[in-house]
Amino acid sequence: MGRAPGSDGLTAHALNPHANAAEDFPRQVQELQHWVSGIELPVGHPHRGIAALPRGTTNPQIWILGSSAYGAQLAAHFGLPYAFAYFFSDGAGVEEALSLYRRNYRPASAIRNPSPPFVYGRLRRKRKRRPNTWP
């Protein structure tokens, strides 16, 4: 889960027309946690009664995908797994974000320690092969 719209301005506005989307992100993460776990939101909450369906025997694991210190700190605060979106920024800020995540991590549920994934990309050019030749 990430807070960046991932689209042009018009499409982003259609998906989330509120100008304060960044400020609402922590609340939205909490709501999502309730919905996917089947725990109702508090009485009086405007989204109480909304449920994620279909329900299974397990709950999906929520990850925060971020390209800044903000996402890392939010993931650490909620005790959620965090993946740095290296492909957004070509790695700019990765050291700071991961350091903040590890330093401020508050264990929640079964995830006792912060352990961001290591992900790499690879490009491969398809090679033309001639008949009856070895690579």
Side-chain angles (χ1 to χ4, degrees), residues 127-135:
R127 212 170 54 178
K128 292 183 180 181
R129 292 182 58 189
R130 291 180 284 175
N132 301 322
T133 63
W134 288 96

Side-chain angles (χ1 to χ4, degrees), residues 61-76:
Q61 188 179 45
I62 298 171
W63 283 67
I64 299 294
L65 171 65
S67 59
S68 69
Y70 179 80
Q73 290 172 316
L74 187 75

Side-chain angles (χ1 to χ4, degrees), residues 23-101:
E23 292 82 26
D24 287 344
F25 190 57
R27 179 189 48 78
Q28 292 170 332
V29 170
Q30 288 179 309
E31 289 172 351
L32 182 63
Q33 287 177 307
H34 279 268
W35 291 327
V36 301
S37 67
I39 299 170
E40 278 199 84
L41 289 163
V43 174
H45 191 285
H47 299 132
R48 184 180 169 93
I50 294 176
L53 298 173
R55 295 284 312 148
T57 56
T58 61
N59 299 326
Q61 188 179 45
I62 298 171
W63 283 67
I64 299 294
L65 171 65
S67 59
S68 69
Y70 179 80
Q73 290 172 316
L74 187 75
H77 176 79
F78 287 125
L80 294 172
Y82 174 74
F84 186 84
Y86 198 92
F87 52 91
F88 283 174
S89 62
D90 212 18
V94 66
E95 293 89 3
E96 177 191 13
L98 294 181
S99 176
L100 283 167
Y101 176 64

Side-chain angles (χ1 to χ4, degrees), residues 2-18 21-22 25 65 88:
R3 69 180 174 98
S7 184
D8 62 275
L10 181 62
T11 305
H13 184 267
L15 295 172
N16 191 350
H18 305 290
F25 190 57
L65 171 65
F88 283 174

